[in-house]
Amino acid sequence: MRVVFAGTPEFARAALERLHASGVAIPLVLSQPDRPAGRGMKLQASPVKCFAVDHGIPVAQPRSLRLDGKYPDDALAARAALEAARPDLMVVAAYGLILPQWVLQLPRLGCLNIHASLLPRWRGAAPIHRALEAGDPETGITIMQMDAGLDTGDMLLVERLPIAADDTTASLHDKLAALGARLIVEAIELAACGGLHPVAQPAGGVTYAHKIEKNEAAIDWAQPAEVIGRRVRAFDPFPGASTLISGEPVKVWRCQVEPDAAGARPGTVLAADGSGIVVACGSGALRLMQLQRAGGKRLAVADFLRGFPVAAGAMLQAGQ
């Protein structure tokens, strides 16, 4: 089996590493172009590209794969590289570019996608974040045969994963990346012997995981404590749930739901000590246990309060 791999972030790198270790022939890797990052805004290669270069795998980084799009030269060069690679199969994981029909049809066995949800729930860009935000009890990995739609293809392999009460997007990402890496190796082994059996996605239960935007980070204290708590976990590590304390933006990284706040105005600090800053919400209260000032580090609440005193009765406002 000759497998072309298309992916960009750390989630995809885990799958590429597992495929490489399994002995699958990988004649070509596709990844997004290098992007400026860090304080110096220097061009930085993606985790997938870094792995491929370190292991001597050829890499193509087209800005687009659309032959009739904005970058036709990139698409033509990518097409030549893909045809030369003679893939039996393409594996796609968080690549970030839309695959036009010519790409979907080029590999003999088509394109398989590693999707971090239990399809058809949470099709789209941010399935891990949205599952946490919605309070889903479980998620999982779906290995899907790609078609022209947005995560609409037939399901080939599905494995469920419970969401723990303390899971964040960061921790759930790592669990799902490892699960996806294992399942895609299994899928390729089955594909080699004709053992994959496509199952159409159910028509009901479709939800869309829209891309996370920075403006979603602001905490609305009028919401129930449970809802805010889920958003804190969903937005870790990006964009980080934020509030204003004495007019200064502060990110909240860890919290727990407390009993009802006895009618206190949402945003009111009910107590503040080494065990947490307790804030009234629309219903219930939230104990803030790990916080971060702009330009600072994440701190346990006791350390945070030593440098930024907060008194009972203070009012917190939506962050920026």
Side-chain angles (χ1 to χ4, degrees):
M1 290 281 281
R2 294 173 61 83
V3 177
V4 166
F5 187 88
T8 298
E10 189 63 31
F11 180 88
R13 188 210 59 81
L16 177 59
E17 180 178 4
R18 187 74 176 253
L19 286 171
H20 183 267
S22 74
V24 169
I26 307 172
L28 179 66
V29 161
L30 300 180
S31 194
Q32 287 262 4
D34 297 356
R35 306 288 190 199
R39 291 187 177 180
M41 295 301 286
K42 294 182 179 178
L43 287 178
Q44 184 171 316
S46 72
V48 162
K49 179 186 177 180
C50 289
F51 182 90
V53 170
D54 288 346
H55 292 82
I57 304 171
V59 179
Q61 296 177 273
R63 289 168 291 180
S64 171
L65 293 167
R66 291 177 58 91
L67 297 172
D68 59 350
K70 186 176 179 181
Y71 304 105
D73 291 346
D74 282 32
L76 285 169
R79 183 168 192 162
L82 281 166
E83 289 174 345
R86 297 179 291 107
D88 296 299
L89 188 69
M90 178 186 282
V91 169
V92 181
Y95 178 32
L97 289 184
I98 294 173
L99 301 191
Q101 195 63 32
W102 72 261
V103 177
L104 297 174
Q105 293 176 339
L106 192 149
R108 179 173 60 88
L109 297 175
C111 302
L112 304 189
N113 178 244
I114 307 171
H115 189 75
S117 83
L118 300 172
L119 291 171
R121 186 161 177 79
W122 303 127
R123 294 173 179 172
I128 301 175
H129 303 76
R130 298 307 183 191
L132 279 166
E133 184 184 21
D136 289 1
E138 64 177 358
T139 183
I141 290 289
T142 304
I143 305 298
M144 177 190 68
Q145 186 82 48
M146 296 182 71
D147 61 16
L150 176 63
D151 300 329
T152 56
D154 289 346
M155 301 181 293
L156 302 171
L157 292 176
V158 178
E159 188 161 327
R160 297 175 180 274
L161 178 73
I163 297 178
D166 60 350
D167 264 329
T168 64
T169 287
S171 64
L172 198 54
H173 167 281
D174 292 350
K175 295 176 187 179
L176 288 168
L179 177 57
R182 175 171 62 78
L183 280 188
I184 195 60
V185 171
E186 181 180 337
I188 289 173
E189 291 172 349
L190 290 169
C193 63
L196 287 176
H197 304 291
V199 176
Q201 294 185 35
V206 175
T207 57
Y208 289 92
H210 297 288
K211 180 181 177 181
I212 302 295
E213 303 290 348
K214 286 185 178 181
N215 60 13
E216 296 183 67
I219 295 174
D220 177 4
W221 293 107
Q223 292 186 321
E226 184 177 341
V227 171
I228 299 171
R230 293 201 304 257
R231 289 170 68 85
V232 168
R233 294 190 292 122
F235 296 162
D236 181 357
F238 175 85
S242 64
T243 188
L244 292 178
I245 304 180
S246 300
E248 181 175 331
V250 173
K251 290 193 174 182
V252 178
W253 294 113
R254 192 160 68 87
C255 61
Q256 68 180 32
V257 176
E258 295 288 317
D260 190 77
R265 181 182 171 189
T268 303
V269 175
L270 304 176
D273 56 33
S275 67
I277 300 171
V278 182
V279 185
C281 304
S283 63
L286 212 59
R287 182 178 297 273
L288 314 185
M289 302 166 69
Q290 187 184 64
L291 304 101
Q292 180 182 14
R293 298 174 71 175
K297 298 179 180 179
R298 298 189 187 197
L299 295 175
V301 66
D303 296 326
F304 178 85
L305 288 172
R306 276 193 280 272
F308 194 146
V310 178
M315 288 296 301
L316 307 193
Q317 297 172 319
Q320 297 177 336

